[in-house]
Amino acid sequence: MEKFILKYFNLLRTIIAVLIGIVISVFLIFLISRDPGFSLQQFLLGPLLSRSRFSSMVEMASPIIMCGLAIALAFQARQFNVGAEGALYLGAAVGTGFAVSTAMPGFLHLPLTLLVAGGVGALWGFLPGLLKARWRGSELVASLLLNYVGYYLGLYLINFHFRDKNAGYLVSYQLPKSAWLAQFIPNTRMHWGILLSLAFAVLVFLFLYHTTSGYEIRMTGANEKFARFGGINVFKVVVLSQLLLGLLAGIGGMSEVMGIHRRFNWQSSPGYGWDGVVVAIIGRNHPLLIVAASFFLAYLRVGGQVLNLMSDVPAEMVTVIQSIIILLITAEAFLAQWRYRITVRQAESRGEAA
Amino acid sequence: MRQRVEILKALYRNAELLILDEPTSVLTPQEAEGFFGTLQELKSHGKTIIFISHKLREVKRIADRVTIMRDARVIATRDAGELSEQDIAYLMVGREISSERLAPPRSPGPALLSVRDLTFVNEENLRVLSGVSFDVRAGEIVGLAGVEGNGQTELVRILTGLLPATSGTVAIRGRAVNGSSPRRIRQAGVAHIPEDRMEDGAAAEASVQENVIVDRFYKADFSRGLILLWAAVARHTRSLIERFHILARSPRAPVASLSGGNIQKVVVARELSSEPEVIIASQPTRGIDVGSEEMVHNLLAEARDRGKAVFLASADLDEVLKLSNRVLVIFNGELVAHFRDTAGLSGQDLGPYMLGLKKEEAASGEVHP
């Protein structure tokens, strides 16, 4: 039993954190709601009970997965680039511009549009990477500021160059059909972008743990001096990891545009880049855990929406609950004492046996 | 000096019990003697002192009672008078340890590492190294003695490509390697055992196998194109674990779960298994147990006997004297003495040079065939 606890400590700890978070939420809902039983049911089961809610949970997870993977690539190299939001926004804006102003068959239009968005995103990741590698500029500061630049630049492009004046509200022209990511389950909004995200999760996993470049990224993150000492080109790793961050975020944003609204309709930044930071931390920068974390976050979000719609609990409360859960998961030392005691007991019993 | 300040600080706070962990590692023999005098005086004032050290001679010199630990267990507690250095070493590792000199006279080959007029000025505009010149030939160990902080760290980092020199040249097997990347220098046949294994030598959270391939993962043995061949890496790691007697559960065990001595063995295993021609070792046995220390010493001596050039920078004079064929002394960034023969040489002979009290004019470690 104790061996089992030690082996799966991080997983168990995450589950306990989630449970504590839910207990606190239940408590809060009981405080606020006049019909707490119903509200609770809506919050916890709501996302799973109807086809459309389940679908919105899955489609919401998709860009979060992409941004989580993006952030994880940089975090694995211990580069604190948080520029996924800007890369996603500007990438999708330029990608939209490209898609609406070109015409070609789908098998070309689809990948090229994604590639353009990814390329612009990659540039957005590359800039802080270069500043860091060449002049030791803080990638955290650079990427934070570039998020604003990306946002306003994207907004400018859409509103002044690709705005559909007949639409009645501030959106871009509709993408030509050749650049649509189709729905793969009829009567839902679940589109191929979700499968694309899952494929990328596997790709990023293989890249990080089974390729030489991934090894270089992880060693640089584990100990940069060690990497340099061993002959790894740290300059390259710093730039590459952040460039890949932008690439994935850009593709993630574009696939959302291509799969759901088929127009660029974000007048405010959608926040997936920040969700990416959250799921990268919850998933401990591991691509497959990030997928799980993204679905969990999307589940909480949709549960919150349902709660907001169906009960008397306001949406703000949901954000509070989410924050509590995330806080507990990310607190490194939470339950560390527990693990320590088990480790000591194990060592002592082994000592007696010997 | 710094040690005395630390002790004063402790006494000022009315400490009755002083715990000193390897306090002499940055002292010359002469300074250590003075330091022991201070400790004796404190003892006579009724203070209690716990003196932690892996230097047997110091323990014999200073302690009234000795407690020996091995593998996290107390092995014995005796009066110091009852134990000889040999006895202590035996209890520490559970077998006989030789402290014989490992520097038999032999005829070295051509110079594999040549350093000329090396100068380094750091970011604060301080001259850390000036005009350092020496050779290390095939089949010899050249020791660099000196109190820590006299430029050894920078010298070693320059030799291994981690720091660019301000001026001067470094040549490996006759080819200048100034300004080359660490990987290029490794490819020229240099291995580097760094002074701080946790800072440069290893990534603690990474596994043993990830640690032993950092200089070779891109080679054909371990990768096809972009793909890492973990099976081959694990096989390689297992063979190193066996060959270098590393106590590790598996190749996938994180390095942080190993003891200091075993982490150092991981570093040494990686560096010595890269088939180097030139080995640059900096404090290779600092803070590790006597058994691991003996093993590292034997490995360096073996490499020398197989015709490698070994440059050994160490603050541990016993280590320098035990292994070296020639000894250089560095003070304040300059070479101040060159002993061409280590037979009969003792720490007391080196001390005055290490402290800057004596200086050979235009000392250099060059050899001219």
Side-chain angles (χ1 to χ4, degrees), chain A residues 16-343:
Chain A
I16 293 171
V18 169
L19 289 178
I20 294 177
I22 288 174
V23 168
I24 296 175
S25 341
V26 169
F27 178 72
L28 287 174
I29 288 174
F30 266 85
L31 273 184
I32 295 165
S33 178
R34 255 181 244 133
D35 185 357
F38 176 75
S39 302
L40 206 61
Q41 188 202 348
Q42 292 300 313
F43 177 52
L44 294 179
L45 299 179
L48 309 173
L49 286 182
S50 94
R51 192 180 167 117
S52 74
R53 287 181 196 157
F54 186 78
S55 148
S56 49
M57 181 177 91
V58 174
E59 82 196 35
M60 185 187 280
S62 170
I64 299 179
I65 291 172
M66 289 302 281
C67 289
L69 296 172
I71 295 285
L73 275 169
F75 279 13
Q76 284 263 9
R78 204 159 288 176
Q79 300 302 311
F80 294 107
N81 185 318
V82 292
E85 186 71 12
L88 170 138
Y89 196 88
L90 187 63
V94 176
T96 302
F98 170 82
V100 299
S101 47
T102 53
M104 53 185 95
F107 71 91
L108 270 178
H109 214 183
L110 266 171
L112 274 182
T113 305
L114 286 171
L115 217 61
V116 167
V120 171
L123 174 71
W124 233 236
F126 168 79
L127 291 173
L130 184 70
L131 290 172
K132 171 73 177 291
R134 185 70 188 81
W135 293 287
R136 273 185 266 161
S138 161
E139 73 279 14
L140 181 66
V141 173
S143 61
L144 262 174
L145 293 177
L146 279 173
N147 277 343
Y148 291 103
V149 181
Y151 169 60
Y152 287 108
L153 214 56
L155 207 56
Y156 160 79
L157 277 178
I158 296 301
N159 289 352
F160 288 89
H161 295 280
F162 302 106
R163 182 179 159 201
D164 187 350
K165 293 182 183 69
N166 300 321
Y169 53 115
L170 283 168
V171 290
S172 74
Y173 295 111
Q174 190 171 49
L175 303 189
K177 272 223 160 86
S178 53
W180 287 15
L181 283 170
Q183 267 59 34
F184 63 89
I185 300 178
N187 298 325
T188 69
R189 299 203 301 177
M190 284 194 248
H191 57 89
W192 287 103
I194 288 139
L195 301 182
L196 194 69
S197 305
L198 294 177
F200 265 108
V202 175
L203 274 179
V204 170
F205 169 77
L206 293 175
F207 174 74
L208 277 173
Y209 294 96
H210 292 276
T211 68
T212 52
S213 300
Y215 171 81
E216 290 179 309
I217 285 178
R218 289 187 302 112
M219 289 307 113
T220 303
N223 182 349
E224 187 183 321
K225 283 185 164 171
F226 166 70
R228 205 182 293 274
F229 162 91
I232 290 173
N233 184 343
V234 173
F235 185 101
K236 186 188 92 181
V237 170
V238 168
V239 174
L240 178 73
S241 61
Q242 301 187 49
L243 182 143
L244 290 175
L245 172 151
L247 177 80
L248 292 192
I251 292 176
M254 195 65 230
S255 78
E256 174 90 347
V257 171
M258 291 159 77
I260 296 182
H261 306 290
R262 277 79 191 241
R263 295 173 186 271
F264 189 98
N265 70 340
W266 291 319
Q267 284 299 308
S268 62
S269 211
Y272 294 131
W274 301 112
D275 293 340
V277 176
V278 170
V279 295
I281 293 172
I282 296 179
R284 295 178 182 277
N285 300 325
H286 191 288
L288 306 180
L289 294 178
I290 283 171
V291 172
S294 303
F295 277 108
F296 176 66
L297 189 63
Y299 162 79
L300 285 183
R301 288 271 155 80
V302 173
Q305 286 170 6
V306 175
L307 196 61
N308 190 34
L309 276 174
M310 308 292 291
S311 77
D312 52 352
V313 180
E316 288 79 0
M317 219 51 241
V318 178
T319 314
V320 170
I321 291 166
Q322 285 167 3
S323 308
I324 290 170
I325 292 175
I326 290 160
L327 212 67
L328 285 169
I329 293 174
T330 51
E332 288 264 342
F334 176 58
L335 294 182
Q337 195 63 34
W338 184 42
R339 169 159 64 175
Y340 176 72
R341 276 203 303 271
I342 295 176
T343 310

Side-chain angles (χ1 to χ4, degrees), chain B residues 300-315:
Chain B
L300 290 176
E302 271 166 36
R304 182 251 328 269
D305 296 341
R306 278 186 286 118
K308 314 300 179 197
V310 181
F311 181 64
L312 169 69
S314 177

Side-chain angles (χ1 to χ4, degrees), chain B residues 68-304:
Chain B
I68 294 139
M69 292 185 71
R70 188 203 317 156
D71 290 338
R73 248 172 263 270
V74 170
I75 301 297
T77 300
R78 305 270 173 77
D79 283 338
E82 291 174 24
L83 295 168
S84 69
E85 280 182 40
Q86 286 297 323
D87 295 336
I88 300 176
Y90 180 80
L91 289 169
M92 280 167 79
V93 285
R95 59 186 163 79
E96 293 289 340
I97 290 285
S98 128
S99 59
E100 259 175 77
R101 291 212 172 171
L102 298 172
R106 51 194 321 275
S107 48
L112 297 184
L113 170 66
S114 296
V115 175
R116 291 292 177 272
D117 275 323
L118 206 63
T119 296
F120 176 67
V121 179
N122 71 7
E123 285 180 343
E124 281 104 57
N125 229 356
L126 295 173
R127 219 176 162 76
V128 180
L129 291 171
S130 22
V132 172
S133 299
F134 64 90
D135 294 301
V136 184
R137 292 170 292 184
E140 70 171 352
I141 297 180
V142 174
L144 180 69
V147 178
E148 275 182 61
N150 276 289
Q152 298 96 318
T153 304
E154 289 80 359
L155 176 58
V156 166
R157 294 184 78 82
I158 289 170
L159 297 183
T160 51
L162 295 168
L163 193 68
T166 308
S167 67
T169 58
V170 178
I172 306 292
R173 292 195 274 178
R175 288 221 324 269
V177 293
N178 293 60
S180 296
S181 68
R183 181 174 289 181
R184 276 282 151 69
I185 288 180
R186 284 177 174 279
Q187 285 166 343
V190 175
H192 176 195
I193 300 171
E195 63 177 15
D196 188 331
R197 58 182 163 270
M198 297 323 282
E199 195 162 303
D200 291 312
E205 60 192 78
S207 64
V208 174
Q209 59 182 1
E210 285 169 338
N211 269 278
V212 296
I213 57 166
V214 71
D215 62 334
R216 63 197 68 161
F217 65 91
Y218 60 89
K219 293 183 177 162
D221 292 346
F222 304 111
S223 59
R224 290 270 176 286
L226 206 60
I227 306 299
L228 263 177
L229 306 173
W230 283 117
V233 171
R235 229 177 297 128
H236 178 64
T237 309
R238 267 193 288 273
S239 81
L240 290 182
I241 286 177
E242 201 173 311
R243 204 171 118 205
F244 290 87
H245 308 290
I246 300 166
L247 275 180
R249 268 183 292 117
S250 83
R252 306 176 69 130
V255 156
S257 70
L258 273 49
S259 72
N262 279 297
I263 296 174
Q264 188 69 356
K265 282 188 201 169
V266 170
V267 174
V268 170
R270 178 185 63 226
E271 298 303 326
L272 297 188
S273 62
S274 67
E275 300 301 322
E277 290 301 314
V278 177
I279 297 162
I280 293 167
S282 184
Q283 320 283 7
T285 61
R286 174 147 69 190
I288 65 176
D289 61 282
V290 192
S292 307
E293 177 180 319
E294 189 196 29
M295 180 176 159
V296 171
H297 286 166
N298 288 338
L299 285 166
L300 290 176
E302 271 166 36
R304 182 251 328 269

